[in-house]
Amino acid sequence: MKNLFKDSSNRIYCGFVLILSLCSLIACDSDDAPSQESLLPPITMTGENTFGCLIDGKFFRPRDGNNSIGGDSKGLRIITTETTNVEYKIEDFASSRSASLLIHIENFQNDSASNYEFQESNGLRGIDGLNNNYAHCRIWKNEEVGYQRYVTFPNSGMINITNRIIQGQADYHHATFDLKMINTSIQNDTITIRLGRFDLESFTLDWKDWD
């Protein structure tokens, strides 16, 4: 005669083992996921055309849109405004939740290494922006409030840029930066941008694929 109690116990035991195995596999997959910080490019000074930072702990990098060669859908562009000012315009056109970041440097010092402190931003750029160093960005916050705009405020961070001009042709921009921004519409809402770095070479930048 079959021992029904024993068969039932075996089935319970096998089910328990199966559940433990599944939990173990899920934990391993979670452990194998790369950290956001590990996705950042290395800090270099050789014109590698790289950019990356963490916005509130999430990895952000430029990504091209369609028809991006030399166009407005390039993931990263260096723009000269009012002769002596430089802007770095970084955009992620490829993600379902797009994002953008603009860094404006007033009276950019050519062929030098300089620290620039971020001051107030009015959310505009070029001749419509303020006459100081600033940054602003647009990111997806959450389902409740959607996209939000953030701007720098007085003494909200620092960027260190080393600029080198090689043989009068190649213009190299190497930088590290950390800063905070405040929401333009939600009081007391701030974000932190940290571990920012880029290494750009202007001569080849237009042909870089930010995929």
Side-chain angles (χ1 to χ4, degrees), residues 6-178:
K6 184 177 180 181
D7 287 347
S8 177
S9 297
N10 285 338
R11 284 196 295 270
I12 292 172
Y13 175 76
C14 290
F16 182 68
V17 170
L18 180 61
I19 291 170
L20 284 178
S21 299
L22 289 172
C23 289
S24 177
L25 285 172
I26 291 171
C28 287
D29 287 343
S30 177
D31 291 341
D32 290 342
S35 69
Q36 295 293 292
E37 189 170 327
S38 71
L39 299 174
L40 291 166
I43 295 175
T44 56
M45 297 181 68
T46 50
E48 299 298 318
N49 285 330
T50 56
F51 180 99
C53 65
L54 299 182
I55 301 181
D56 266 1
K58 294 180 180 179
F59 176 56
F60 171 71
R61 67 184 175 97
R63 299 178 74 190
D64 289 341
N66 295 324
N67 303 318
S68 60
I69 294 179
D72 288 340
S73 56
K74 284 295 292 180
L76 190 151
R77 290 187 295 152
I78 301 176
I79 305 167
T80 300
T81 69
E82 300 178 84
T83 308
T84 60
N85 304 333
V86 168
E87 294 180 343
Y88 303 93
K89 190 176 183 181
I90 307 99
E91 301 188 72
D92 179 358
F93 288 105
S95 297
S96 58
R97 305 298 192 193
S98 63
S100 63
L101 170 66
L102 182 124
I103 298 172
H104 173 96
I105 305 300
E106 191 82 3
N107 296 320
F108 182 74
Q109 300 298 311
N110 283 317
D111 208 16
S112 68
S114 302
N115 289 315
Y116 300 90
E117 191 167 35
F118 289 111
Q119 303 296 334
E120 182 181 359
S121 167
N122 63 1
L124 303 176
R125 56 163 298 270
I127 61 173
D128 298 314
L130 301 180
N131 295 324
N132 49 244
N133 308 312
Y134 60 79
H136 50 78
C137 72
R138 177 179 180 267
I139 63 170
W140 176 264
K141 185 70 173 178
N142 54 46
E143 293 290 346
E144 183 180 353
V145 297
Y147 285 101
Q148 295 293 305
R149 295 184 180 276
Y150 294 83
V151 296
T152 49
F153 49 90
N155 308 317
S156 53
M158 188 79 69
I159 181 169
N160 176 270
I161 302 177
T162 299
N163 172 245
R164 295 182 298 133
I165 299 175
I166 308 298
Q167 297 177 346
Q169 181 180 21
D171 191 6
Y172 290 82
H173 299 241
H174 327 291
T176 56
F177 57 93
D178 293 273

